[in-house]
mmCIF file with all atom_site columns, all heavy atoms in Angstrom:
data_model
loop_
_atom_site.group_PDB
_atom_site.id
_atom_site.type_symbol
_atom_site.label_atom_id
_atom_site.label_alt_id
_atom_site.label_comp_id
_atom_site.label_asym_id
_atom_site.label_entity_id
_atom_site.label_seq_id
_atom_site.pdbx_PDB_ins_code
_atom_site.Cartn_x
_atom_site.Cartn_y
_atom_site.Cartn_z
_atom_site.occupancy
_atom_site.B_iso_or_equiv
_atom_site.pdbx_formal_charge
_atom_site.auth_seq_id
_atom_site.auth_comp_id
_atom_site.auth_asym_id
_atom_site.auth_atom_id
_atom_site.pdbx_PDB_model_num
ATOM 1  N N   . VAL A 1 483 ? -21.265 246.897 -0.076  1.00 0.00 ? 483 VAL A N   1
ATOM 2  C CA  . VAL A 1 483 ? -21.887 245.663 0.220   1.00 0.00 ? 483 VAL A CA  1
ATOM 3  C C   . VAL A 1 483 ? -23.015 245.397 -0.814  1.00 0.00 ? 483 VAL A C   1
ATOM 4  O O   . VAL A 1 483 ? -23.102 244.299 -1.335  1.00 0.00 ? 483 VAL A O   1
ATOM 5  C CB  . VAL A 1 483 ? -22.574 245.729 1.609   1.00 0.00 ? 483 VAL A CB  1
ATOM 6  C CG1 . VAL A 1 483 ? -23.435 244.561 1.821   1.00 0.00 ? 483 VAL A CG1 1
ATOM 7  C CG2 . VAL A 1 483 ? -21.440 245.756 2.566   1.00 0.00 ? 483 VAL A CG2 1
ATOM 8  N N   . GLY A 1 484 ? -23.757 246.440 -1.212  1.00 0.00 ? 484 GLY A N   1
ATOM 9  C CA  . GLY A 1 484 ? -24.671 246.214 -2.145  1.00 0.00 ? 484 GLY A CA  1
ATOM 10 C C   . GLY A 1 484 ? -24.192 245.767 -3.505  1.00 0.00 ? 484 GLY A C   1
ATOM 11 O O   . GLY A 1 484 ? -24.797 244.937 -4.233  1.00 0.00 ? 484 GLY A O   1
ATOM 12 N N   . GLU A 1 485 ? -22.990 246.423 -3.911  1.00 0.00 ? 485 GLU A N   1
ATOM 13 C CA  . GLU A 1 485 ? -22.428 246.095 -5.227  1.00 0.00 ? 485 GLU A CA  1
ATOM 14 C C   . GLU A 1 485 ? -22.175 244.509 -5.196  1.00 0.00 ? 485 GLU A C   1
ATOM 15 O O   . GLU A 1 485 ? -22.180 243.826 -6.197  1.00 0.00 ? 485 GLU A O   1
ATOM 16 C CB  . GLU A 1 485 ? -21.199 246.899 -5.355  1.00 0.00 ? 485 GLU A CB  1
ATOM 17 C CG  . GLU A 1 485 ? -21.500 248.331 -5.883  1.00 0.00 ? 485 GLU A CG  1
ATOM 18 C CD  . GLU A 1 485 ? -22.227 248.468 -7.073  1.00 0.00 ? 485 GLU A CD  1
ATOM 19 O OE1 . GLU A 1 485 ? -21.958 247.814 -8.041  1.00 0.00 ? 485 GLU A OE1 1
ATOM 20 O OE2 . GLU A 1 485 ? -23.262 249.326 -7.195  1.00 0.00 ? 485 GLU A OE2 1
ATOM 21 N N   . MET A 1 486 ? -21.426 244.053 -4.127  1.00 0.00 ? 486 MET A N   1
ATOM 22 C CA  . MET A 1 486 ? -21.059 242.668 -4.102  1.00 0.00 ? 486 MET A CA  1
ATOM 23 C C   . MET A 1 486 ? -22.388 241.817 -4.000  1.00 0.00 ? 486 MET A C   1
ATOM 24 O O   . MET A 1 486 ? -22.285 240.664 -4.709  1.00 0.00 ? 486 MET A O   1
ATOM 25 C CB  . MET A 1 486 ? -20.202 242.508 -2.794  1.00 0.00 ? 486 MET A CB  1
ATOM 26 C CG  . MET A 1 486 ? -18.954 243.246 -2.849  1.00 0.00 ? 486 MET A CG  1
ATOM 27 S SD  . MET A 1 486 ? -17.994 243.094 -1.242  1.00 0.00 ? 486 MET A SD  1
ATOM 28 C CE  . MET A 1 486 ? -17.217 241.613 -1.479  1.00 0.00 ? 486 MET A CE  1
ATOM 29 N N   . ALA A 1 487 ? -23.279 242.178 -3.264  1.00 0.00 ? 487 ALA A N   1
ATOM 30 C CA  . ALA A 1 487 ? -24.584 241.318 -3.181  1.00 0.00 ? 487 ALA A CA  1
ATOM 31 C C   . ALA A 1 487 ? -25.320 241.187 -4.523  1.00 0.00 ? 487 ALA A C   1
ATOM 32 O O   . ALA A 1 487 ? -25.792 240.164 -4.780  1.00 0.00 ? 487 ALA A O   1
ATOM 33 C CB  . ALA A 1 487 ? -25.495 242.119 -2.129  1.00 0.00 ? 487 ALA A CB  1
ATOM 34 N N   . LYS A 1 488 ? -25.245 242.190 -5.353  1.00 0.00 ? 488 LYS A N   1
ATOM 35 C CA  . LYS A 1 488 ? -25.835 242.271 -6.630  1.00 0.00 ? 488 LYS A CA  1
ATOM 36 C C   . LYS A 1 488 ? -25.240 241.098 -7.486  1.00 0.00 ? 488 LYS A C   1
ATOM 37 O O   . LYS A 1 488 ? -25.947 240.637 -8.493  1.00 0.00 ? 488 LYS A O   1
ATOM 38 C CB  . LYS A 1 488 ? -25.648 243.600 -7.415  1.00 0.00 ? 488 LYS A CB  1
ATOM 39 C CG  . LYS A 1 488 ? -26.705 244.579 -6.888  1.00 0.00 ? 488 LYS A CG  1
ATOM 40 C CD  . LYS A 1 488 ? -26.489 245.899 -7.678  1.00 0.00 ? 488 LYS A CD  1
ATOM 41 C CE  . LYS A 1 488 ? -27.466 246.998 -7.044  1.00 0.00 ? 488 LYS A CE  1
ATOM 42 N NZ  . LYS A 1 488 ? -27.042 248.269 -7.785  1.00 0.00 ? 488 LYS A NZ  1
ATOM 43 N N   . ASP A 1 489 ? -23.878 240.673 -7.360  1.00 0.00 ? 489 ASP A N   1
ATOM 44 C CA  . ASP A 1 489 ? -23.368 239.724 -8.075  1.00 0.00 ? 489 ASP A CA  1
ATOM 45 C C   . ASP A 1 489 ? -23.623 238.287 -7.349  1.00 0.00 ? 489 ASP A C   1
ATOM 46 O O   . ASP A 1 489 ? -22.830 237.286 -7.748  1.00 0.00 ? 489 ASP A O   1
ATOM 47 C CB  . ASP A 1 489 ? -21.867 239.992 -8.200  1.00 0.00 ? 489 ASP A CB  1
ATOM 48 C CG  . ASP A 1 489 ? -21.615 241.143 -9.157  1.00 0.00 ? 489 ASP A CG  1
ATOM 49 O OD1 . ASP A 1 489 ? -22.433 241.407 -10.000 1.00 0.00 ? 489 ASP A OD1 1
ATOM 50 O OD2 . ASP A 1 489 ? -20.556 241.873 -8.906  1.00 0.00 ? 489 ASP A OD2 1
ATOM 51 N N   . GLY A 1 490 ? -24.469 238.206 -6.454  1.00 0.00 ? 490 GLY A N   1
ATOM 52 C CA  . GLY A 1 490 ? -24.766 236.891 -5.831  1.00 0.00 ? 490 GLY A CA  1
ATOM 53 C C   . GLY A 1 490 ? -23.828 236.490 -4.682  1.00 0.00 ? 490 GLY A C   1
ATOM 54 O O   . GLY A 1 490 ? -23.764 235.351 -4.297  1.00 0.00 ? 490 GLY A O   1
ATOM 55 N N   . LEU A 1 491 ? -23.065 237.538 -4.292  1.00 0.00 ? 491 LEU A N   1
ATOM 56 C CA  . LEU A 1 491 ? -21.968 237.144 -3.252  1.00 0.00 ? 491 LEU A CA  1
ATOM 57 C C   . LEU A 1 491 ? -22.611 237.269 -1.791  1.00 0.00 ? 491 LEU A C   1
ATOM 58 O O   . LEU A 1 491 ? -23.416 238.106 -1.473  1.00 0.00 ? 491 LEU A O   1
ATOM 59 C CB  . LEU A 1 491 ? -20.756 238.086 -3.287  1.00 0.00 ? 491 LEU A CB  1
ATOM 60 C CG  . LEU A 1 491 ? -19.953 238.040 -4.640  1.00 0.00 ? 491 LEU A CG  1
ATOM 61 C CD1 . LEU A 1 491 ? -18.747 238.977 -4.538  1.00 0.00 ? 491 LEU A CD1 1
ATOM 62 C CD2 . LEU A 1 491 ? -19.559 236.776 -5.073  1.00 0.00 ? 491 LEU A CD2 1
ATOM 63 N N   . ARG A 1 492 ? -22.106 236.283 -0.877  1.00 0.00 ? 492 ARG A N   1
ATOM 64 C CA  . ARG A 1 492 ? -22.396 236.451 0.559   1.00 0.00 ? 492 ARG A CA  1
ATOM 65 C C   . ARG A 1 492 ? -21.352 237.281 1.098   1.00 0.00 ? 492 ARG A C   1
ATOM 66 O O   . ARG A 1 492 ? -20.167 236.963 1.133   1.00 0.00 ? 492 ARG A O   1
ATOM 67 C CB  . ARG A 1 492 ? -22.566 235.135 1.126   1.00 0.00 ? 492 ARG A CB  1
ATOM 68 C CG  . ARG A 1 492 ? -22.986 235.136 2.569   1.00 0.00 ? 492 ARG A CG  1
ATOM 69 C CD  . ARG A 1 492 ? -23.273 233.711 3.054   1.00 0.00 ? 492 ARG A CD  1
ATOM 70 N NE  . ARG A 1 492 ? -23.761 233.767 4.334   1.00 0.00 ? 492 ARG A NE  1
ATOM 71 C CZ  . ARG A 1 492 ? -24.178 232.651 5.063   1.00 0.00 ? 492 ARG A CZ  1
ATOM 72 N NH1 . ARG A 1 492 ? -24.013 231.476 4.540   1.00 0.00 ? 492 ARG A NH1 1
ATOM 73 N NH2 . ARG A 1 492 ? -24.667 232.868 6.311   1.00 0.00 ? 492 ARG A NH2 1
ATOM 74 N N   . VAL A 1 493 ? -21.719 238.279 1.860   1.00 0.00 ? 493 VAL A N   1
ATOM 75 C CA  . VAL A 1 493 ? -20.601 239.280 2.317   1.00 0.00 ? 493 VAL A CA  1
ATOM 76 C C   . VAL A 1 493 ? -20.553 239.316 3.726   1.00 0.00 ? 493 VAL A C   1
ATOM 77 O O   . VAL A 1 493 ? -21.569 239.259 4.589   1.00 0.00 ? 493 VAL A O   1
ATOM 78 C CB  . VAL A 1 493 ? -21.127 240.791 1.871   1.00 0.00 ? 493 VAL A CB  1
ATOM 79 C CG1 . VAL A 1 493 ? -20.016 241.777 2.084   1.00 0.00 ? 493 VAL A CG1 1
ATOM 80 C CG2 . VAL A 1 493 ? -21.577 240.760 0.282   1.00 0.00 ? 493 VAL A CG2 1
ATOM 81 N N   . LEU A 1 494 ? -19.326 239.314 4.175   1.00 0.00 ? 494 LEU A N   1
ATOM 82 C CA  . LEU A 1 494 ? -19.017 239.461 5.647   1.00 0.00 ? 494 LEU A CA  1
ATOM 83 C C   . LEU A 1 494 ? -18.016 240.717 5.772   1.00 0.00 ? 494 LEU A C   1
ATOM 84 O O   . LEU A 1 494 ? -17.187 241.081 4.948   1.00 0.00 ? 494 LEU A O   1
ATOM 85 C CB  . LEU A 1 494 ? -18.133 238.165 6.061   1.00 0.00 ? 494 LEU A CB  1
ATOM 86 C CG  . LEU A 1 494 ? -18.997 236.855 6.126   1.00 0.00 ? 494 LEU A CG  1
ATOM 87 C CD1 . LEU A 1 494 ? -18.043 235.757 6.714   1.00 0.00 ? 494 LEU A CD1 1
ATOM 88 C CD2 . LEU A 1 494 ? -20.197 237.015 7.083   1.00 0.00 ? 494 LEU A CD2 1
ATOM 89 N N   . GLY A 1 495 ? -18.399 241.365 6.955   1.00 0.00 ? 495 GLY A N   1
ATOM 90 C CA  . GLY A 1 495 ? -17.319 242.352 7.436   1.00 0.00 ? 495 GLY A CA  1
ATOM 91 C C   . GLY A 1 495 ? -16.377 241.996 8.305   1.00 0.00 ? 495 GLY A C   1
ATOM 92 O O   . GLY A 1 495 ? -16.468 240.964 9.029   1.00 0.00 ? 495 GLY A O   1
ATOM 93 N N   . VAL A 1 496 ? -15.055 242.649 8.235   1.00 0.00 ? 496 VAL A N   1
ATOM 94 C CA  . VAL A 1 496 ? -13.934 242.248 9.031   1.00 0.00 ? 496 VAL A CA  1
ATOM 95 C C   . VAL A 1 496 ? -13.426 243.335 9.816   1.00 0.00 ? 496 VAL A C   1
ATOM 96 O O   . VAL A 1 496 ? -13.373 244.564 9.368   1.00 0.00 ? 496 VAL A O   1
ATOM 97 C CB  . VAL A 1 496 ? -12.863 241.626 8.350   1.00 0.00 ? 496 VAL A CB  1
ATOM 98 C CG1 . VAL A 1 496 ? -11.691 241.185 9.146   1.00 0.00 ? 496 VAL A CG1 1
ATOM 99 C CG2 . VAL A 1 496 ? -13.310 240.341 7.513   1.00 0.00 ? 496 VAL A CG2 1
#
Side-chain angles (χ1 to χ4, degrees):
V483 170
E485 289 297 318
M486 298 172 79
K488 285 179 182 178
D489 292 332
L491 302 184
R492 187 170 183 180
V493 187
L494 292 180
V496 179

